[in-house]
Amino acid sequence: MAESVISAGLDFISLRLNAEQSMYGRYTQELGVYAKEEAARLRESGQRRSASDRSRTLDLLEYEKGRCAKCRIYTVRCQKFLISRVGEDWIFLILLGLVMALVSWVMDFCIAICLQAQKWMYGGLDSNVLLQYLAWVTYPVVLITFSAGFTQILAPQAVGSGIPEMKTILRGVVLKEYLTFKTFVAKVIGLTCALGSGMPLGKEGPFVHVASLCAALLSKFMSLFGGIYENESRNIEMLAAACAVGVGCCFAAPIGGVLFSIEVTSTFFAVRNYWRGFFAATFSAFIFRVLAVWNRDEETITALFKTNFRLDFPFDLQELPAFAVVGIASGFGGALFVYLNRLIVVFMRKQKAINKFLMKKRLLFPALVTLCISTLTFPPGFGQFMAGQLTQKETLQAFFDNLTWSKQGLAEEFDYMGHSQAWRHPQVSVFVVLVIFIIMKFWMSALATTLPVPCGAFMPVFLIGAAFGRLVGESMAAWFPDGIHSDGTIYPIVPGGYAVVGAAALSGAVTHTVSTAVIVFELTGQISHILPVMIAVILANAVAQSLQPSLYDSIIRIKKLPYLPELGWGHHEKYNIRVEDIMVRDVRYITLNCCYRDLHNVLLTGHLKTLALVESAESMILLGSIERSQLQSLLSQQLSRTRRLEYIRERSVAEKKRLSEVSNPSSEDSNMRASQEVRFQVRSHSGCRERWYALRPFSFSFVGKPSMMPSFLTYFPSPLCVLQIAEWEEKQLDEQVNFNNCKIDPAPFQLVERTSLHKTHTIFSLLGLDHAYVTSIGRLIGVVSLKELRKAIEGSVTVKGVKVRPPLASFRDSGTTGTSSSESEATELHKLWDRHRSISLPREHVPSESDEKSQ
Amino acid sequence: MAESVISAGLDFISLRLNAEQSMYGRYTQELGVYAKEEAARLRESGQRRSASDRSRTLDLLEYEKGRCAKCRIYTVRCQKFLISRVGEDWIFLILLGLVMALVSWVMDFCIAICLQAQKWMYGGLDSNVLLQYLAWVTYPVVLITFSAGFTQILAPQAVGSGIPEMKTILRGVVLKEYLTFKTFVAKVIGLTCALGSGMPLGKEGPFVHVASLCAALLSKFMSLFGGIYENESRNIEMLAAACAVGVGCCFAAPIGGVLFSIEVTSTFFAVRNYWRGFFAATFSAFIFRVLAVWNRDEETITALFKTNFRLDFPFDLQELPAFAVVGIASGFGGALFVYLNRLIVVFMRKQKAINKFLMKKRLLFPALVTLCISTLTFPPGFGQFMAGQLTQKETLQAFFDNLTWSKQGLAEEFDYMGHSQAWRHPQVSVFVVLVIFIIMKFWMSALATTLPVPCGAFMPVFLIGAAFGRLVGESMAAWFPDGIHSDGTIYPIVPGGYAVVGAAALSGAVTHTVSTAVIVFELTGQISHILPVMIAVILANAVAQSLQPSLYDSIIRIKKLPYLPELGWGHHEKYNIRVEDIMVRDVRYITLNCCYRDLHNVLLTGHLKTLALVESAESMILLGSIERSQLQSLLSQQLSRTRRLEYIRERSVAEKKRLSEVSNPSSEDSNMRASQEVRFQVRSHSGCRERWYALRPFSFSFVGKPSMMPSFLTYFPSPLCVLQIAEWEEKQLDEQVNFNNCKIDPAPFQLVERTSLHKTHTIFSLLGLDHAYVTSIGRLIGVVSLKELRKAIEGSVTVKGVKVRPPLASFRDSGTTGTSSSESEATELHKLWDRHRSISLPREHVPSESDEKSQ
């Protein structure tokens, strides 16, 4: 019984793989029938099971007849109930949260040990600077090289952040090998090594991927218990929850985690999934922090980077312009970071010579970059000007502390405690150190995140933002030593608050998210700076979004993942473009009464994944769509070797009949004999390689291998035979297609020609479509695919003098790699649109200046 | 020029109203054509304008010829640019935020004055208890009665919270009169009076409505400046942002506001709208708090109910079970509150006698309820046991304070300060006072929120939750006077923290939201209790969601608003039901070649809003859908009086011709004359009331009123005429329908029969559909509307022994009002399903026990 359930579960998995991104419409007939049978079987087995349970219960009742019988029955029922609940969501989510909290904690633990080891080595060798340098440099180089090599060998998919890929997967596109156990191992071990090296890399992005991997694997594991719960929509929902868990247990920030994962991965979010994310992320964050308490790191559950700013007067109203400046500057900084990051990737790709060399020695690039970065941070060297000896965590704690580093006049008596010590340099002021830190870390982070190791950019960017905020805060503190507030009490300025604001703003600008604000509140455990943080984050987003795509979208573009870009801030021009302006009018279609020759021609000319099925070429009524592979199999079936043989046999029968009709009037007898003979003949082919036996009747029986027959027929056709077969094939091609055994998608998505681009985008994003047919009262008139839509959104199409380009888009495009290749498509599209305009809008006469292309 | 833009804008509004909920497919042909013309006109005028601008610029250049010319041109361009930006989203959002912050602040100010006035009256009369009582009671009765009367007269739509209505509107359903200026005025003034009365009512729900009203009105106003930006999708987006603003400026909680509004109003949320909500809510909250600073209420921007708990050790790990208990108990409490609230409404409706009486004296019910509640809170009376003299705000401040009210042994030296004073009673302990407060406020709030005034339930529930949390916290503090933490430092228990947890949990349970957690953080300005709050809120939600719908869904059910219920927590059974199990197979359709008689028959029998258009009854290929009203107009046009007259004229011509052919061979001449005569004849009808003039040619000219003609023909038909017209009508009905001038929705939404209920629900919610056709390779086989879907989700349909009922649903249903009426529909549906099963699943034989109905 259990086995049947398991096999059913596995069947469902394979079914799901077939169905792929079947958010809508992909429900093919055969699949439906199969699923129905399967469901019926499951239901039946379930009923049988419950029947057997019932009978067992009755047995028990009869057997016991005691007082405790009812009790036992109750126990059995409870047990049954519990087992049936194993597949429920909340158990899955608890398990996911638990596993991820453990993974996160263990990883943090290992990273801490790695970093301590480096410090210890460096500290122990303080007699010799050269040895110290070697120790300081070798350690990260080895770790990063190992991480890069390990990931490269085990699963190259584990490289990078993983958020762009998760975004694509959650849109409904299946990326192969991105959710396997191998990738999980590669990502976890690679990430631990990469972070243990002390490079400016982050944990957040990869953790989203790790959590998704964990959810996918757990889902497979859970399906062993309850196969019916295996469902594609459910899996997508669970992946969305997993993304929240990833962020949540990385920063112990459940709310921020949920919001960040929504902003970063979704286009449309189902509110009913909301609780899943919250539930799992909270549980995960809770366990993550409880582990710290149990390990005696903390006294109780608190924030990861606890701050201790005053509550009664967190900031003055007149400080708000300074916070706004932090926000705007962070916006520019964030855009610059994304640009720089992409520039490095593009540069590395374009330099053929470098590229060739690096392709050969794949591990050389990471090793060189690591060497360069760790040399610069070497504390006795240049590192002394940028607090090189501090780890990311220590640096952040220093930025968020409640002291003012630049207290003027009090410099002597001010006691630099703990990590703040590192920021004091005997020669240069703290401002210079901060500026150097920001500049150096900026390019280092942008460079390091291009390394082929599992790594994220969130934490480095967060750190740079905090540094920038601190710089502004210290400047303010130096400027207004007694605070700004004029009446009564002196409230000195809190530079740590500026660091919090800066961190949220810069990370928000790079990722194009607002929820970094929530993440900083949860990270610091204080929400008193809510308004400055929100204002700065929103301003930073406004600036960054108008200049550059988000870091994740930028990576999506670089990797050319199949993702639909968002409509930007000022997307109201999109209401003016209609589907008819962007659709492809030359649709490949097949008709219901078409012959195989048409099929053949259509398959030869087009290269779309699906073809429209219309009633007839005159009516053009859309009936459905058929996958290319289906049509190919139909065609090959029609011209298959089996049918060819069949034909030959029939032909021989006819020949025989004709002969026998001449010689023997009792045709029925001969017919029967002939067919018998034909059977022998057919079987004999493989034996004696002679084709026209059947024409000369003979009487011995021969049992050959039927499976070898077709190969013979294909490989050794006689000249006569080739002609005949060609003739036969021509005849076959003229036959009408029988669609009975063909998987037809009976309800492909249809749009109306007047649908606005905005609405089209919404529908495509909502339903995860990759193409939609444009119909007019049932008649097919065009098709729109993701490609056309992407073009239109990215602004290659102009309509009536309205240039549909987001502000500063040229700056944005100059850095992308795909411009040259898309040029021709855009032109083609443009021609189409021009043609269309001249046809359907004859009464509008406008100067042609509006047609100038914008690229 | 400006006028044309304005009129275009207004046209667009009316267009939008026509298009209604056209999230998908409603784009009718005529509308499209009109929109296109309009857009072309606008574009043209835009071009003309820009051309004139250019020429003006040139003029300027020529005129000045000085150095400052360029400068001027730049200014002009800037101005133009600024004007063109007026319609942009961010300006709209800033205005919205500003207006709402002002409204919120002014309203708070007025409410505070009202409450102070009551206190002052009550305080001034402390010599006479009776007078004091009268003052205490009269004041709220007058205010509530005024509020109820004012709303009733001006706009009854303003009654209640408004969140259920906004939820329905955001789903795409147009509710009339809910977004008008009248409603705005009624809601604002009614709400101010209601809250000023001191009844346990809230501000949040109505504020969501007020903000939406504000956005709708502002949108209308803004469309005067930039008509092109008027778009239905945009308006929905703006309404969603407005909901966030409503919550945000009510509590100065921008993040919580955005999340709460998403959870409460949306099913699927477009992440690209996210920033709108954040932007507007942050701005609004900022202004709201800045107003308080300017008014010298606050020294700087801080939280509304600032707490001051210790940061270093907010709570002990071992306190978590207590927090969990608060959460679970709040879950039950929340469900009970919703149940009680509905029970009261249902009871009031059922009692015919009471109802009749109350309908006559509409203001009596609110007055009586207010009298009852304010009598019980009278401080010298029963109010002394429940801190009756405190306002909601004072009570909440007391609950959140950092003191322990029940410090044992220290009772004497413990100084009850401020509002905590009210909780000390000479005879009874603080625990008893808290218990009485909770019980009394519980039913009072449930009762008060049913009053026909603008009011919400969030704040009262929040208050009760805080009281309950405080009760648990005080108990814990009494139980562990030195705290639980064992090693080293003593950390006493903070009862205020429990109050925060309880408030979030109970309000989360009633509204089925998780974001109340964020709201309390923003309200209190502290996030240190994040994990307890999250755990309690999630547990409360889990309990409450399995027992009762949310308060807003409950109101939606009571009001029978057209809203699709959510899929609940354990919705995995929904994967087993398919569309074919729930669809209606007996679809009303019309064929492309049908005659008007068919149209007539179809219109007579069915009563659906739209009808399917198929190619022919044999093929059943779905071509589109037509609205009922369109068909009715087609039919009435065919049988219209104009056409009837036309017929009569033609007939007379024919008659004449026949006659003239006999008398006069020159037929052309007579024909012309005849037609002239007929014209006279037609015009003469209204004058002399004689029908068959035309048959007897005469020669005087008569100018009657053509508009009176048809009425004459209808009102005074001669017996002969009636017969003839009946015959004519019969003939007309047999003609084939001409669909050329008919608005056809060319792409109604299609589903496949195998689509699961889960997916169907997703698609309906995503696209805001109200019906979808079920097709099989282009052929129409059924239709699913919201009604069927709602039935299926609410569990009236069982499939193969799987009872599709959420846990404890019977308890939930017992309270709803709609059960009896839905019974018959469910049976009908069931029959359908049975029939279907016997047809399409013949090989599955199951015992009929699974068919037992669950209701």
mmCIF file of all heavy atoms in Angstrom, chain B residues 674-695:
data_model
loop_
_atom_site.group_PDB
_atom_site.id
_atom_site.type_symbol
_atom_site.label_atom_id
_atom_site.label_comp_id
_atom_site.label_asym_id
_atom_site.label_seq_id
_atom_site.Cartn_x
_atom_site.Cartn_y
_atom_site.Cartn_z
ATOM 1 N N ALA B 674 -44.903 58.844 -54.632
ATOM 2 C CA ALA B 674 -45.405 58.019 -53.530
ATOM 3 C C ALA B 674 -44.551 58.212 -52.283
ATOM 4 O O ALA B 674 -45.058 58.419 -51.191
ATOM 5 C CB ALA B 674 -45.413 56.551 -53.934
ATOM 6 N N SER B 675 -43.262 58.190 -52.495
ATOM 7 C CA SER B 675 -42.387 58.299 -51.318
ATOM 8 C C SER B 675 -42.580 59.667 -50.666
ATOM 9 O O SER B 675 -42.565 59.798 -49.455
ATOM 10 C CB SER B 675 -40.929 58.089 -51.712
ATOM 11 O OG SER B 675 -40.441 59.213 -52.406
ATOM 12 N N GLN B 676 -42.729 60.687 -51.477
ATOM 13 C CA GLN B 676 -43.014 62.020 -50.922
ATOM 14 C C GLN B 676 -44.284 61.992 -50.114
ATOM 15 O O GLN B 676 -44.364 62.475 -49.005
ATOM 16 C CB GLN B 676 -43.150 63.022 -52.058
ATOM 17 C CG GLN B 676 -41.833 63.735 -52.357
ATOM 18 C CD GLN B 676 -42.021 64.724 -53.460
ATOM 19 O OE1 GLN B 676 -42.951 64.601 -54.261
ATOM 20 N NE2 GLN B 676 -41.135 65.717 -53.524
ATOM 21 N N GLU B 677 -45.262 61.394 -50.728
ATOM 22 C CA GLU B 677 -46.558 61.335 -50.050
ATOM 23 C C GLU B 677 -46.470 60.582 -48.741
ATOM 24 O O GLU B 677 -47.050 60.957 -47.741
ATOM 25 C CB GLU B 677 -47.584 60.652 -50.962
ATOM 26 C CG GLU B 677 -48.229 61.635 -51.919
ATOM 27 C CD GLU B 677 -48.810 60.938 -53.110
ATOM 28 O OE1 GLU B 677 -48.942 59.710 -53.072
ATOM 29 O OE2 GLU B 677 -49.126 61.616 -54.091
ATOM 30 N N VAL B 678 -45.688 59.502 -48.812
ATOM 31 C CA VAL B 678 -45.553 58.716 -47.590
ATOM 32 C C VAL B 678 -44.946 59.559 -46.494
ATOM 33 O O VAL B 678 -45.344 59.514 -45.347
ATOM 34 C CB VAL B 678 -44.704 57.465 -47.862
ATOM 35 C CG1 VAL B 678 -44.272 56.846 -46.561
ATOM 36 C CG2 VAL B 678 -45.489 56.489 -48.691
ATOM 37 N N ARG B 679 -43.970 60.366 -46.894
ATOM 38 C CA ARG B 679 -43.372 61.232 -45.883
ATOM 39 C C ARG B 679 -44.437 62.127 -45.258
ATOM 40 O O ARG B 679 -44.513 62.292 -44.066
ATOM 41 C CB ARG B 679 -42.270 62.071 -46.514
ATOM 42 C CG ARG B 679 -41.450 62.841 -45.516
ATOM 43 C CD ARG B 679 -40.030 63.031 -46.000
ATOM 44 N NE ARG B 679 -40.017 63.492 -47.379
ATOM 45 C CZ ARG B 679 -40.140 64.784 -47.734
ATOM 46 N NH1 ARG B 679 -40.293 65.711 -46.839
ATOM 47 N NH2 ARG B 679 -40.088 65.137 -48.991
ATOM 48 N N PHE B 680 -45.262 62.663 -46.091
ATOM 49 C CA PHE B 680 -46.336 63.523 -45.571
ATOM 50 C C PHE B 680 -47.254 62.720 -44.681
ATOM 51 O O PHE B 680 -47.632 63.147 -43.614
ATOM 52 C CB PHE B 680 -47.114 64.151 -46.739
ATOM 53 C CG PHE B 680 -46.260 65.076 -47.542
ATOM 54 C CD1 PHE B 680 -46.513 65.237 -48.891
ATOM 55 C CD2 PHE B 680 -45.206 65.777 -46.959
ATOM 56 C CE1 PHE B 680 -45.715 66.083 -49.639
ATOM 57 C CE2 PHE B 680 -44.435 66.623 -47.689
ATOM 58 C CZ PHE B 680 -44.674 66.778 -49.050
ATOM 59 N N GLN B 681 -47.584 61.570 -45.204
ATOM 60 C CA GLN B 681 -48.486 60.710 -44.441
ATOM 61 C C GLN B 681 -47.940 60.423 -43.058
ATOM 62 O O GLN B 681 -48.608 60.581 -42.046
ATOM 63 C CB GLN B 681 -48.681 59.414 -45.224
ATOM 64 C CG GLN B 681 -49.387 58.319 -44.467
ATOM 65 C CD GLN B 681 -48.393 57.271 -43.966
ATOM 66 O OE1 GLN B 681 -47.410 56.994 -44.641
ATOM 67 N NE2 GLN B 681 -48.672 56.720 -42.812
ATOM 68 N N VAL B 682 -46.643 60.086 -43.059
ATOM 69 C CA VAL B 682 -46.028 59.747 -41.773
ATOM 70 C C VAL B 682 -46.103 60.923 -40.836
ATOM 71 O O VAL B 682 -46.409 60.797 -39.662
ATOM 72 C CB VAL B 682 -44.569 59.309 -42.003
ATOM 73 C CG1 VAL B 682 -43.812 59.322 -40.700
ATOM 74 C CG2 VAL B 682 -44.549 57.933 -42.634
ATOM 75 N N ARG B 683 -45.835 62.076 -41.371
ATOM 76 C CA ARG B 683 -45.860 63.261 -40.525
ATOM 77 C C ARG B 683 -47.264 63.638 -40.102
ATOM 78 O O ARG B 683 -47.462 64.260 -39.086
ATOM 79 C CB ARG B 683 -45.238 64.431 -41.279
ATOM 80 C CG ARG B 683 -43.724 64.305 -41.322
ATOM 81 C CD ARG B 683 -43.101 65.521 -41.886
ATOM 82 N NE ARG B 683 -41.657 65.414 -41.841
ATOM 83 C CZ ARG B 683 -40.844 66.226 -42.469
ATOM 84 N NH1 ARG B 683 -41.353 67.185 -43.198
ATOM 85 N NH2 ARG B 683 -39.560 66.087 -42.376
ATOM 86 N N SER B 684 -48.192 63.252 -40.890
ATOM 87 C CA SER B 684 -49.559 63.682 -40.611
ATOM 88 C C SER B 684 -50.209 62.884 -39.491
ATOM 89 O O SER B 684 -51.140 63.339 -38.871
ATOM 90 C CB SER B 684 -50.416 63.546 -41.876
ATOM 91 O OG SER B 684 -50.601 62.171 -42.155
ATOM 92 N N HIS B 685 -49.672 61.721 -39.218
ATOM 93 C CA HIS B 685 -50.286 60.852 -38.219
ATOM 94 C C HIS B 685 -50.629 61.573 -36.931
ATOM 95 O O HIS B 685 -51.743 61.521 -36.440
ATOM 96 C CB HIS B 685 -49.333 59.698 -37.858
ATOM 97 C CG HIS B 685 -49.413 58.596 -38.846
ATOM 98 N ND1 HIS B 685 -50.589 58.195 -39.402
ATOM 99 C CD2 HIS B 685 -48.459 57.808 -39.393
ATOM 100 C CE1 HIS B 685 -50.354 57.216 -40.240
ATOM 101 N NE2 HIS B 685 -49.067 56.957 -40.256
ATOM 102 N N SER B 686 -49.618 62.263 -36.432
ATOM 103 C CA SER B 686 -49.819 62.879 -35.118
ATOM 104 C C SER B 686 -50.922 63.935 -35.202
ATOM 105 O O SER B 686 -51.557 64.259 -34.216
ATOM 106 C CB SER B 686 -48.520 63.520 -34.653
ATOM 107 O OG SER B 686 -48.026 64.357 -35.696
ATOM 108 N N GLY B 687 -51.127 64.481 -36.386
ATOM 109 C CA GLY B 687 -52.127 65.506 -36.530
ATOM 110 C C GLY B 687 -53.556 64.960 -36.557
ATOM 111 O O GLY B 687 -54.364 65.312 -35.702
ATOM 112 N N CYS B 688 -53.848 64.040 -37.427
ATOM 113 C CA CYS B 688 -55.241 63.687 -37.629
ATOM 114 C C CYS B 688 -55.615 62.273 -37.203
ATOM 115 O O CYS B 688 -56.761 61.867 -37.329
ATOM 116 C CB CYS B 688 -55.626 63.907 -39.097
ATOM 117 S SG CYS B 688 -54.574 62.961 -40.188
ATOM 118 N N ARG B 689 -54.650 61.527 -36.731
ATOM 119 C CA ARG B 689 -54.920 60.202 -36.180
ATOM 120 C C ARG B 689 -55.692 59.317 -37.148
ATOM 121 O O ARG B 689 -56.692 58.710 -36.799
ATOM 122 C CB ARG B 689 -55.676 60.327 -34.859
ATOM 123 C CG ARG B 689 -54.861 61.117 -33.856
ATOM 124 C CD ARG B 689 -55.415 61.079 -32.476
ATOM 125 N NE ARG B 689 -54.447 61.737 -31.587
ATOM 126 C CZ ARG B 689 -54.629 61.902 -30.317
ATOM 127 N NH1 ARG B 689 -55.719 61.441 -29.738
ATOM 128 N NH2 ARG B 689 -53.718 62.479 -29.582
ATOM 129 N N GLU B 690 -55.233 59.282 -38.380
ATOM 130 C CA GLU B 690 -55.854 58.427 -39.380
ATOM 131 C C GLU B 690 -54.743 57.631 -40.024
ATOM 132 O O GLU B 690 -53.734 58.195 -40.430
ATOM 133 C CB GLU B 690 -56.551 59.335 -40.419
ATOM 134 C CG GLU B 690 -57.863 58.930 -40.993
ATOM 135 C CD GLU B 690 -58.031 57.500 -41.405
ATOM 136 O OE1 GLU B 690 -57.027 56.736 -41.488
ATOM 137 O OE2 GLU B 690 -59.164 57.111 -41.667
ATOM 138 N N ARG B 691 -54.845 56.328 -40.102
ATOM 139 C CA ARG B 691 -53.729 55.508 -40.491
ATOM 140 C C ARG B 691 -53.532 55.353 -41.998
ATOM 141 O O ARG B 691 -52.413 55.300 -42.464
ATOM 142 C CB ARG B 691 -53.860 54.129 -39.887
ATOM 143 C CG ARG B 691 -53.894 54.167 -38.393
ATOM 144 C CD ARG B 691 -53.082 53.066 -37.828
ATOM 145 N NE ARG B 691 -51.686 53.212 -38.161
ATOM 146 C CZ ARG B 691 -50.757 52.390 -37.740
ATOM 147 N NH1 ARG B 691 -51.100 51.351 -36.993
ATOM 148 N NH2 ARG B 691 -49.516 52.553 -38.062
ATOM 149 N N TRP B 692 -54.584 55.207 -42.712
ATOM 150 C CA TRP B 692 -54.408 54.754 -44.105
ATOM 151 C C TRP B 692 -54.541 55.847 -45.144
ATOM 152 O O TRP B 692 -54.908 55.638 -46.277
ATOM 153 C CB TRP B 692 -55.331 53.573 -44.395
ATOM 154 C CG TRP B 692 -55.008 52.476 -43.417
ATOM 155 C CD1 TRP B 692 -55.744 52.119 -42.356
ATOM 156 C CD2 TRP B 692 -53.828 51.682 -43.408
ATOM 157 N NE1 TRP B 692 -55.124 51.142 -41.649
ATOM 158 C CE2 TRP B 692 -53.929 50.841 -42.272
ATOM 159 C CE3 TRP B 692 -52.696 51.605 -44.219
ATOM 160 C CZ2 TRP B 692 -52.965 49.934 -41.953
ATOM 161 C CZ3 TRP B 692 -51.741 50.684 -43.876
ATOM 162 C CH2 TRP B 692 -51.866 49.867 -42.763
ATOM 163 N N TYR B 693 -54.202 57.068 -44.732
ATOM 164 C CA TYR B 693 -54.103 58.197 -45.658
ATOM 165 C C TYR B 693 -53.305 57.871 -46.910
ATOM 166 O O TYR B 693 -53.672 58.200 -48.023
ATOM 167 C CB TYR B 693 -53.393 59.365 -44.963
ATOM 168 C CG TYR B 693 -54.281 60.189 -44.106
ATOM 169 C CD1 TYR B 693 -53.778 61.272 -43.403
ATOM 170 C CD2 TYR B 693 -55.642 59.900 -44.034
ATOM 171 C CE1 TYR B 693 -54.591 62.047 -42.615
ATOM 172 C CE2 TYR B 693 -56.454 60.683 -43.244
ATOM 173 C CZ TYR B 693 -55.931 61.756 -42.539
ATOM 174 O OH TYR B 693 -56.721 62.523 -41.769
ATOM 175 N N ALA B 694 -52.184 57.265 -46.693
ATOM 176 C CA ALA B 694 -51.239 57.046 -47.792
ATOM 177 C C ALA B 694 -51.861 56.247 -48.922
ATOM 178 O O ALA B 694 -51.470 56.374 -50.077
ATOM 179 C CB ALA B 694 -50.011 56.335 -47.286
ATOM 180 N N LEU B 695 -52.796 55.458 -48.584
ATOM 181 C CA LEU B 695 -53.411 54.642 -49.618
ATOM 182 C C LEU B 695 -54.270 55.508 -50.536
ATOM 183 O O LEU B 695 -54.505 55.175 -51.685
ATOM 184 C CB LEU B 695 -54.259 53.535 -48.971
ATOM 185 C CG LEU B 695 -53.454 52.567 -48.108
ATOM 186 C CD1 LEU B 695 -54.385 51.572 -47.424
ATOM 187 C CD2 LEU B 695 -52.407 51.834 -48.932
#
